């Protein structure tokens, strides 16, 4: 659940195709996505409010950030990516193996 929204809001981490270190190719290196969905309690239906594609295949966790910072951190094996709905993303590489991370 993300902070700073008026209704329950979920961040979902997904992959287009399953990938792991033994089968990484150029075509599936950045196949992870984060979808942010608001659960509209009056309509009783989910609504997609924003999404991020082309995250590294080894993204394993999404951590919500409290206001005033807001947004979320996408944790990868070799990088930490800060994502916000409005504004630029920021990627901090943790080691030389992170070359080419989103």
């Amino acid at each position: 659940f993300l902070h700073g929204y008026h209704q329950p809001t979920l961040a979902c981490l997904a992959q287009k195709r399953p990938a792991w270190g033994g089968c990484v190719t150029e075509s599936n290196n950045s196949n992870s996505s984060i979808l942010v969905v608001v659960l509209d309690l009056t309509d009783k239906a989910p609504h997609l409010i924003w999404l991020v594609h082309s995250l590294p295949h080894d993204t394993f966790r999404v951590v919500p950030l409290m206001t005033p910072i807001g947004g979320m951190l996408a944790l990868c094996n070799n990088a930490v990516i800060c994502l916000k709905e409005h504004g630029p993303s920021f990627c901090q590489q943790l080691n030389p193996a992170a070359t080419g991370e989103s």
Side-chain angles (χ1 to χ4, degrees), residues 3 8 18 25 39 76 86 96:
H3 304 284
T25 64
L39 303 175
C76 310
H86 303 289

Side-chain angles (χ1 to χ4, degrees), residues 47-61:
H47 300 285
L48 180 67
I49 56 173
W50 62 287
L51 59 113
V52 179
H53 290 297
S54 300
L55 293 172
H57 76 282
D58 61 352
T59 305
F60 63 88
R61 187 170 184 187

Side-chain angles (χ1 to χ4, degrees), residues 75-94:
L75 303 179
C76 310
N77 289 341
N78 301 313
V80 176
I81 304 169
C82 180
L83 303 165
K84 289 187 173 190
E85 181 176 7
H86 303 289
S89 304
F90 176 76
C91 177
Q92 178 62 54
Q93 297 180 349
L94 302 176

Side-chain angles (χ1 to χ4, degrees), residues 15 19-21 24 28-32 55-60 101:
Q15 287 188 331
W20 54 92
V24 175
N28 69 355
N29 187 26
S30 299
N31 72 343
S32 294
L55 293 172
H57 76 282
D58 61 352
T59 305
F60 63 88
E101 300 280 332

